[in-house]
Amino acid sequence: MAAAEPQSDLSQRELVLAAALEVFSREGFEGATMRDIAAIAQCNHAMIRYYFKTKDNLWREAVRFLFERMERELALEETLTARLHAGDRDAFEEWLRRYVRYCAIHPDHSRIMVQASVRDDERLKWAVDTFIADQHSYVREALQALMDKGALPKHATLHVGYIIVAACQMLFTLAPEVRRLHGVEITEEVIERHADAVVSLILR
């Protein structure tokens, strides 16, 4: 599998939140337990309860950690950001490649959001209102500029956006199926090949 963030670079709180993402993304909100999260984070589950109080609050803090991590890892330099929103094809390719790598390293992101969408409860509403709405607005603006410049075919940004998300995420979200079906592990070579395929299909 692709390497995750080095454990030594994370604080104890971040280790707990990363462990929470792993467990919530695998077991769902109802199936996740503080003890399972504590075991992965290698800490006392009573400490998690002391700092986060409830499982609901831990879920929200883990999702906050997830989106802050995403923003940090996908951040483009100021000049690239300006070029992206001006419809520059090369800037969009750079963003696509970074997004594919993010999805490979952090499959918990798509898994936990799929779980939340299936339940469609107050936690999903909170995540949409707090993080996802602004994020999608940012992406829609870039997609529209790329369409206006002819770098992307002209379709509703809703459809183009979700097609891109699925293309970048799905191989890694379904990594266990990919391993069983094709005997393929997620390695650096696989990540690069998948990024090449995404770029060539979307930016033909």
Side-chain angles (χ1 to χ4, degrees):
M1 289 293 290
E5 295 175 78
Q7 296 294 292
S8 59
D9 291 345
L10 299 178
S11 67
Q12 183 61 62
R13 182 178 187 276
E14 290 171 328
L15 285 171
V16 170
L17 294 175
L21 286 176
E22 179 180 339
V23 175
F24 283 129
S25 68
R26 185 179 67 240
E27 306 295 340
F29 181 80
E30 296 300 332
T33 69
M34 296 285 205
R35 289 186 182 275
D36 288 341
I37 293 166
I40 293 173
Q42 298 183 335
C43 68
N44 191 305
H45 78 279
M47 183 272 288
I48 297 179
R49 290 193 178 276
Y50 176 80
Y51 283 105
F52 295 99
K53 308 304 181 188
T54 65
K55 187 164 71 168
D56 180 80
N57 190 55
L58 176 58
W59 187 93
R60 292 173 193 249
E61 289 304 306
V63 169
R64 184 184 304 280
F65 172 71
L66 177 153
F67 279 100
E68 289 173 351
R69 180 182 68 186
M70 182 183 191
E71 183 176 352
R72 182 173 65 251
E73 295 186 16
L74 291 183
L76 295 173
E77 295 78 7
E78 188 174 338
T79 54
L80 270 177
T81 299
R83 286 168 51 197
L84 176 63
H85 281 268
D88 184 89
R89 183 192 184 282
D90 291 340
F92 185 55
E93 178 176 339
E94 173 65 21
W95 182 87
L96 273 178
R97 291 184 179 279
R98 291 192 192 189
Y99 185 47
V100 167
R101 177 164 295 278
Y102 174 85
C103 294
I105 295 173
H106 304 298
D108 53 358
H109 188 131
S110 59
R111 290 169 184 163
I112 200 168
M113 295 319 303
V114 167
Q115 297 251 15
S117 291
V118 169
R119 292 187 61 84
D120 191 16
D121 56 14
E122 178 58 31
R123 282 181 292 275
L124 176 64
K125 181 181 184 303
W126 171 83
V128 168
D129 292 346
T130 308
F131 304 107
I132 302 172
D134 285 345
Q135 184 186 74
H136 278 229
S137 177
Y138 175 91
V139 172
R140 283 197 304 271
E141 290 175 9
L143 293 179
Q144 190 60 59
L146 288 155
M147 290 179 197
D148 292 342
K149 288 290 185 70
L152 289 175
K154 291 191 175 183
H155 296 287
T157 56
L158 166 69
H159 304 296
V160 175
Y162 276 101
I163 287 168
I164 291 170
V165 167
C168 293
Q169 288 182 352
M170 200 52 60
L171 180 73
F172 311 112
T173 303
L174 300 181
E177 176 185 288
V178 171
R179 183 183 68 250
R180 290 179 181 274
L181 190 59
H182 299 281
V184 172
E185 298 287 351
I186 305 303
T187 63
E188 283 293 325
E189 182 183 1
V190 169
I191 295 169
E192 289 297 323
R193 288 206 310 263
H194 193 67
D196 289 343
V198 168
V199 167
S200 65
L201 287 169
I202 292 173
L203 292 173
R204 290 193 296 177

